[in-house]
Amino acid sequence: MEILGIDFHWLGHAAFKIEKEQKIFIDPFQLRVPERDADLILVTHDHFDHCSIDDIEKIVNQQAVIIAAKMCGAKIDNFKSKVARIIYFSPGDTIKINNALIEAIPAYNINKFRAPGVVFHPKEMGYVGYVIEIDKVRIYHAGDTDFIPEMSNLGKIDIALLPIGGTYTMNVEEAVEAVKTIKPKYTIPMHYGSIVGSERDAEKFEQIASAYTKVITMEKE
């Protein structure tokens, strides 16, 4: 689907392919067809459903660049001989790769606990989301996160890719609050339909969030 001149493909869960002059994959997971044609691969953190070695293997090639959160090193280092470059990011880091300016944004939990007092995605681990700017269009992939204060400081966001599944990330209501703060022109819900969340969550999100943004619920490719 083309949005503001950029092609978006939802590959399920938190995985996307974004195309304009280069192919950018974000958190590839359970990909249906090996393509080996990635120009840029972004990885938000090291959990199996975001940093999937088997799925990255399906898209890497000698020209590809991988940008990954620092804690992904133990997995991503396996690709050193298979790609052009690997770059490890912390929140706040930025880089220009071809036509895309990439900035790492903090992603963490404040109220999703795997044990008393222990969240699934602690801030100190350095998990990230990404703002990707292509031809002045700014795309925000939030990663695995709750509604956090840093979302108030993103600046102009044209297209937001926001998790809605709950348990490990924002639920529907929290994602709506994020939309109110970020004020994107378009919002694509993600992180539902496989491990957590359902199509009903996406429908509910669209019903509520459409008062504040143009919601695009995509079909998995």
Side-chain angles (χ1 to χ4, degrees), residues 2-21:
E2 184 175 303
I3 308 172
L4 299 178
I6 299 171
D7 287 329
F8 285 80
H9 306 265
W10 182 47
L11 308 178
H13 200 51
F16 285 85
K17 179 171 69 171
I18 299 171
E19 295 185 78
K20 186 169 187 180
E21 298 178 20

Side-chain angles (χ1 to χ4, degrees), residues 122-146:
K123 185 176 183 178
E124 59 270 21
M125 284 295 294
Y127 302 127
V128 301
Y130 292 101
V131 170
I132 307 159
E133 183 173 330
I134 303 172
D135 294 344
K136 298 184 180 180
V137 176
R138 286 171 55 83
I139 304 155
Y140 173 46
H141 185 293
D144 272 12
T145 189
D146 283 328

Side-chain angles (χ1 to χ4, degrees), residues 7 9 25 37 53 57 84 99 115 129 141 151 173 184 204 220:
D7 287 329
H9 306 265
F25 287 81
D37 62 350
I53 297 301
E57 187 69 54
N99 67 335
H141 185 293
M151 291 179 180
E173 291 77 14
K204 182 179 178 182
K220 177 180 177 180

Side-chain angles (χ1 to χ4, degrees), residues 101-158:
L101 179 64
I102 312 295
E103 179 183 2
I105 306 298
Y108 59 91
N109 289 136
I110 55 177
N111 61 9
K112 306 297 186 302
F113 299 98
R114 60 182 175 86
V118 182
V119 295
F120 288 104
H121 303 92
K123 185 176 183 178
E124 59 270 21
M125 284 295 294
Y127 302 127
V128 301
Y130 292 101
V131 170
I132 307 159
E133 183 173 330
I134 303 172
D135 294 344
K136 298 184 180 180
V137 176
R138 286 171 55 83
I139 304 155
Y140 173 46
H141 185 293
D144 272 12
T145 189
D146 283 328
F147 174 39
I148 55 176
E150 288 85 350
M151 291 179 180
S152 300
N153 302 314
L154 294 175
K156 177 182 79 85
I157 296 297
D158 297 294

